[in-house]
């Protein structure tokens, strides 16, 4: 079974903090993604990566950056957390077809 | 612009009452259409991939079908444990990105 593991289920951070969300996959997948999910807006793509050290902006990259130093790990960084970044963050990996998701990180910025 | 629209937004069924969920899409060259199930507070769980019009896939009480403009997820004799949000996503040819609909929240009453 494909396993995508996100480092935290729940996080509470203060406004202005630098926040790191970690994601690891164990299937040697080329592609990895970070989405955020908000009620009524669905899943919105923040960044994706199709290879080590390669990244592309998604639909809502502002306020975020990413790092992919190893194939299995894809990190999302909130440079200076703001309250409007309170959301459910979902990491996914894929090879060619279907994407497989982690369990999600519920981030609250206070 | 690529779009995925799911209907209805919410659906309440009695146990055993069959129904269908709709996913209509606009994309230039469909690479694949994907159905996911998402339980509250968790990441989406992969259900089906459909690649071409006329294709059908089945899993227990669920059957997914695809035409050139839409996909249906048919639920036959649902049980309360089928209650979840069902998400549809498309992947356009030549891209790694997935475009998600906002989902249908299904509630099956015992």
């Amino acid at each position: 079974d494909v396993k995508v593991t996100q480092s935290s289920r729940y996080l509470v951070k203060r406004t202005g903090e630098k926040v790191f969300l970690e994601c690891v996959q164990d299937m040697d997948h080329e592609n990895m993604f970070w989405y955020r999910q908000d009620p009524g807006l669905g899943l919105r793509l923040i960044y994706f990566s199709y290879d080590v050290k390669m990244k592309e902006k998604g639909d809502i990259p502002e306020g975020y950056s990413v790092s992919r130093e190893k194939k299995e790990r894809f990190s999302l960084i909130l440079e200076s957390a703001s309250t409007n970044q309170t959301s459910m963050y979902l990491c996914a990996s894929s090879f060619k077809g279907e994407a497989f998701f982690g369990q999600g990180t519920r981030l609250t910025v206070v | 612009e690529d779009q995925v629209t799911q209907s209805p937004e919410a659906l309440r069924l009695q146990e055993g009452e069959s129904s269908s969920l709709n996913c209509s899409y606009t994309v230039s060259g469909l690479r694949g259409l994907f159905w996911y199930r998402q339980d509250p507070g968790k990441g989406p769980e992969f259900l089906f991939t459909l690649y071409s019009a006329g294709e059908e896939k089945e899993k227990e009480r669920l059957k997914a079908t695809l035409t050139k403009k839409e996909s249906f997820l048919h639920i036959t004799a649902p049980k309360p444990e089928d209650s979840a949000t069902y998400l549809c996503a498309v992947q356009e040819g030549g891209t790694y990105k997935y475009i998600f609909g906002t989902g249908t929240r299904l509630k099956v009453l015992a």
Side-chain angles (χ1 to χ4, degrees):
Chain A
D1 276 356
V2 174
K3 190 150 189 184
V4 179
T5 304
Q6 296 182 228
S7 53
S8 305
R9 289 294 307 274
Y10 301 95
L11 275 179
V12 181
K13 296 292 182 180
R14 293 195 179 278
T15 302
E17 275 193 79
K18 191 168 186 175
V19 181
F20 294 85
L21 302 183
E22 307 286 346
C23 176
V24 177
Q25 51 99 359
D26 67 357
M27 284 301 292
D28 202 36
H29 282 168
E30 304 287 335
N31 308 317
M32 295 188 75
F33 307 82
W34 276 106
Y35 288 88
R36 64 178 281 178
Q37 186 175 31
D38 301 287
L41 296 177
L43 276 78
R44 293 180 292 167
L45 182 63
I46 305 172
Y47 268 97
F48 71 101
S49 168
Y50 51 90
D51 202 349
V52 175
K53 297 190 187 293
M54 305 303 287
K55 61 187 179 186
E56 282 198 26
K57 293 180 180 179
D59 300 315
I60 52 164
E62 296 79 18
Y64 303 94
S65 63
V66 290
S67 172
R68 191 157 180 212
E69 297 296 319
K70 293 186 178 181
K71 193 174 187 179
E72 67 270 19
R73 188 179 297 269
F74 192 35
S75 302
L76 179 70
I77 303 151
L78 285 66
E79 299 292 344
S80 177
S82 64
T83 55
N84 63 12
Q85 292 179 310
T86 292
S87 186
M88 170 72 111
Y89 289 87
L90 291 162
C91 173
S93 75
S94 75
F95 174 47
K96 286 185 178 179
E98 55 271 13
F100 295 91
F101 284 84
Q103 76 276 29
T105 297
R106 172 75 63 185
L107 172 67
T108 302
V109 182
V110 298
Chain B
E1 182 183 327
D2 298 341
Q3 272 195 313
V4 178
T5 304
Q6 291 188 246
S7 61
E9 285 188 20
L11 182 62
R12 290 167 70 94
L13 299 173
Q14 292 293 323
E15 184 172 5
E17 180 187 0
S18 301
S19 188
S20 297
L21 282 54
N22 178 262
C23 171
S24 61
Y25 63 91
T26 305
V27 67
S28 305
L30 181 70
R31 180 182 238 176
L33 184 140
F34 311 92
W35 282 99
Y36 291 84
R37 169 194 170 123
Q38 187 176 24
D39 293 302
K42 296 188 177 181
E45 176 189 344
F46 169 74
L47 292 174
F48 302 110
T49 305
L50 301 166
Y51 291 107
S52 56
E55 192 174 358
E56 299 182 352
K57 295 271 180 76
E58 281 189 72
K59 181 180 180 180
E60 295 180 358
R61 294 177 293 282
L62 300 177
K63 179 179 175 181
T65 61
L66 181 65
T67 72
K68 287 187 178 179
K69 293 184 178 180
E70 58 191 351
S71 176
F72 291 93
L73 185 65
H74 306 279
I75 304 176
T76 302
K79 298 182 178 182
E81 54 262 42
D82 294 322
S83 297
T85 295
Y86 290 85
L87 299 170
C88 170
V90 299
Q91 190 179 38
E92 186 180 6
T95 177
Y96 303 106
K97 292 165 52 173
Y98 301 84
I99 303 166
F100 281 84
T102 52
T104 294
R105 293 190 313 278
L106 173 66
K107 178 76 173 176
V108 182
L109 304 170

